[in-house]
Amino acid sequence: MTAPLDLDLDIDAGDWTKAEVDAIENAVVAALDGAVIDGALWEDDAVPTDGTPDKGDGASLLSIAPVIEVGVRLSDDASVRVLNRDYRGKDSPTNVLSFAALESADDAADFMMTPDMPLILGDIIVARETCAREAAEQNKALINHLVHLTVHGTLHLVGYDHMVDDEAEEMEELERQILARLGIDDPYEPIEDQDVETGQ
């Protein structure tokens, strides 16, 4: 079970609906739950505090932190383009950016210097126009695409990456599992004849 979440969600720009904002909040929670199940940010010396039996092999820091802090900014292409240029050297907008505060479980353990200190994971920024364009091009419901990208961005905050094939396969499989629990089809499979509005 994941520790309590302190989610700082702000709408910086763009025309976001309440349903999209709610779905994005739920996606962050689902991604963290999936990461705990998968053993993300595992610390061998940690003792479970969530009621799971202590097998002496450690616990995910995501389950033992007193609180987890994540920032989500819902934005537009112009803002994301600047961030993408300044931090990644790519002068174009992208769908989602993640700025992780941690690189590993060791970093997470360092952050948790006292029992009441929150585990700060970092920030996710989502660009509405790019997401909407991609959803239309891929014949996907926008809300499902936003959920997928939020899950993807959240997993980056807890150490998952896709720079090499093995890591990409692991991350994509975890995304599929999380999205399936949310009732969303495999985002990596081509979608044919799906209603873009309903996702059905």
Side-chain angles (χ1 to χ4, degrees), residues 125-182:
I125 299 93
V126 184
R128 181 168 181 77
E129 295 98 333
T130 295
C131 292
R133 185 174 54 256
E134 289 174 347
E137 289 168 357
Q138 298 169 24
N139 198 31
K140 296 178 180 178
L142 175 57
I143 198 163
N144 289 354
H145 194 51
L146 291 170
V147 167
H148 172 220
L149 294 172
T150 302
V151 166
H152 182 88
T154 303
L155 292 179
H156 276 306
L157 298 185
V158 296
Y160 292 89
D161 211 341
H162 45 82
M163 298 303 288
V164 295
D165 287 345
D166 288 348
E167 290 176 350
E169 289 172 16
E170 177 186 2
M171 185 174 183
E172 287 174 10
E173 180 55 33
L174 183 55
E175 288 173 19
R176 287 183 185 100
Q177 293 170 15
I178 293 165
L179 293 170
R181 286 194 281 276
L182 294 172

Side-chain angles (χ1 to χ4, degrees), residues 83-94:
L83 291 169
N84 204 25
R85 181 195 64 214
D86 292 352
Y87 290 96
R88 297 180 65 224
K90 298 181 180 185
D91 193 13
S92 62
T94 188

